[in-house]
Amino acid sequence: MTFGMGQPELPWGVGNVCTPADVLRIPLEVKALGATALRMTCLWAQIDPTLRADDPATFKWANLDSALDAVEAAGLDIMLCIEPRRSLTPIASTADHSPDYGQLCGAIAQRYGDRIKWYEIGNEVNSAKRFSGANASRYADYLREAF
């Protein structure tokens, strides 16, 4: 049986929520509680700050790399939520960025392969505050592109 805990902000990096010491400490504490998995969130804007998904060479992997390394070192499986928001704040635009999101998901899958056991495509996408308009057909477009 898998028992997991969520620490969504683990890969967000210094200056946001977690210090480098936190990134090392938190997975060990989660493991000590008896968990076998940890769920964390990568924010599109932090991996792709230039919002140029057509140019993966501009992606910033360091924070996510460090978080994944720490979680694996603690012996935990990883669930990664890939947020379809293009900013640190909720989506304000109704523009469709699903093709870019698909490229981001592809780059993450190619980089990390089976190091990530489960992927979550967005969080609370049924909320207009978190995903533009809480639109089921728009979310389906993002799911198709992510696949």
Side-chain angles (χ1 to χ4, degrees), residues 62-128:
N63 291 335
L64 186 54
D65 286 348
S66 295
L68 291 176
D69 290 346
V71 172
E72 285 179 321
L76 297 165
D77 289 329
I78 299 165
M79 172 186 243
L80 184 67
C81 175
I82 307 172
E83 276 288 352
R85 296 182 285 148
R86 289 175 67 98
S87 69
L88 298 181
T89 58
I91 293 175
S93 162
T94 58
D96 179 10
H97 299 291
S98 62
D100 292 337
Y101 180 72
Q103 289 180 328
L104 173 71
C105 290
I108 290 170
Q110 184 174 21
R111 182 173 183 87
Y112 300 112
D114 59 6
R115 289 178 66 188
I116 298 171
K117 190 163 186 173
W118 306 280
Y119 288 94
E120 179 180 351
I121 306 303
N123 180 49
E124 297 179 7
V125 295
N126 60 326
S127 165

Side-chain angles (χ1 to χ4, degrees), residues 135-147:
N135 182 320
S137 65
R138 163 94 30 91
Y139 180 60
D141 291 339
Y142 278 77
L143 285 176
R144 273 190 290 280
E145 293 291 340
F147 178 77

